[in-house]
Amino acid sequence: MKIDLNSDMGEGFGRWRIADDDGLMDTVSSANIACGFHAGDYAIMDRTVRLAKEKGVGIGAHPGLPDLLGFGRRAMAVSDADMESMLCYQIGALQGIAARHGHRVTHVSYHAAFGNMANADEGLALRLTRAIAALDRDLSVFCMPGQATERAAAKAGLRAQTLFLADRAYTAQGMLVPRGQPGAVIHDLAKVRARVNQFLQDGSVTTIDGLRLPVRAQSILVHSDTPGSVELARAIRAEIEASGGVLTPACQIRD
């Protein structure tokens, strides 16, 4: 079984770093690179793309809202037209840097509130996926299964690649437990390994309420800003390989 392991990267700004991107890049198969709105800047983007190219890691754009102070996790009063424009701006910026290094952007993964806003509005979700298709019809879209973004990708003729979030708790409805609530972010290494093992063995996750929920996914995500993210990523990779899985960049996985 081929499976992708991805993480959000390049989420510092200027001289500030919030994660060990070098350690993660040695472990994952795909990187979602911040494009300067919620985090990142041209220099960090350039370095991250260059490092991904050296390591053979696939890259995708990680567009967010223009909110450095709130790290893109706060909803903003933004029009659909502005959402579309800022999405294209961020993807285009990363495509330009990738071309300089002989690498290629192959997927898009919405960040935090940007993704939440898309999934809350079917019309906006479709407008955004159509904008992605206009840029490059070969781009895939990372999303959680069953959400508006997955349906919109299909309507726009794009491939959706579904995610299992190893370090986030799920509700019985298959949604993420909101950050700030107890148990929403999972830091414990043993718990993450057990969750990944369960997903790999029978395609399910145990929700925060103790229910067993089916999860349909091609890629496992670990957030770079989760404490101990490098150790978590290494443990997840070990579970994948122990189960007979083959770690593969998302762009090389086909249904």
Side-chain angles (χ1 to χ4, degrees):
M1 174 183 67
K2 293 181 179 180
I3 191 159
D4 176 51
L5 173 59
N6 75 91
S7 188
D8 306 331
M9 295 193 201
E11 291 187 316
F13 188 77
R15 63 186 292 181
W16 287 275
R17 302 286 185 270
I18 68 164
D20 181 1
D21 283 1
D22 288 18
L24 285 167
M25 202 72 82
D26 282 328
T27 309
V28 303
S29 48
S30 295
N32 317 313
I33 301 176
C35 300
F37 274 41
H38 75 278
D41 57 44
Y42 56 87
I44 293 175
M45 291 166 69
D46 188 84
R47 179 184 182 277
T48 307
V49 169
R50 175 170 46 80
L51 187 60
K53 174 69 173 179
E54 292 172 359
K55 301 292 185 179
V57 172
I59 61 170
H62 193 41
L65 295 174
D67 180 22
L68 288 172
L69 185 62
F71 197 62
R73 288 182 175 153
R74 304 180 295 189
M76 299 176 68
V78 179
S79 70
D80 289 3
D82 280 349
M83 289 282 284
E84 182 180 1
S85 295
M86 67 176 69
L87 170 67
C88 293
Y89 183 98
Q90 292 176 81
I91 296 172
L94 188 63
Q95 286 175 323
I97 291 173
R100 173 173 176 259
H101 290 288
H103 212 1
R104 183 170 174 271
V105 177
T106 56
H107 70 268
V108 178
S109 179
Y110 301 153
H111 173 74
F114 192 102
N116 292 340
M117 292 170 69
N119 282 311
D121 184 335
E122 297 276 352
L124 174 60
L126 182 57
R127 181 168 183 161
L128 295 177
T129 52
R130 284 176 172 164
I132 294 170
L135 293 175
D136 183 351
R137 300 198 69 85
D138 290 331
L139 288 169
S140 65
V141 181
F142 280 9
C143 55
M144 290 180 65
Q147 292 195 346
T149 295
E150 183 182 26
R151 294 188 290 273
K155 291 178 181 176
L158 296 175
R159 188 161 51 96
Q161 294 191 285
T162 48
L163 299 172
F164 169 58
L165 278 64
D167 54 358
R168 292 295 306 279
Y170 283 68
T171 69
Q173 292 72 41
M175 307 296 287
L176 297 180
V177 174
R179 288 180 181 271
Q181 291 190 16
V185 181
I186 303 167
H187 312 100
D188 185 85
L189 188 62
K191 289 181 179 179
V192 170
R193 290 194 73 145
R195 284 163 57 86
V196 171
N197 180 267
Q198 179 180 332
F199 165 71
L200 293 170
Q201 294 303 316
D202 67 8
S204 71
V205 64
T206 299
T207 70
I208 198 165
D209 302 316
L211 301 174
R212 209 172 187 89
L213 182 75
V215 177
R216 171 176 48 83
Q218 300 169 311
S219 183
I220 300 175
L221 167 65
V222 60
H223 290 88
S224 63
D225 62 326
T226 296
S229 59
V230 173
E231 289 72 23
L232 292 177
R234 289 171 180 162
I236 293 168
R237 178 168 182 156
E239 287 292 332
I240 292 171
E241 293 172 343
S243 72
V246 179
L247 201 68
T248 307
C251 59
Q252 297 178 21
I253 297 176
R254 294 292 184 267
D255 296 333

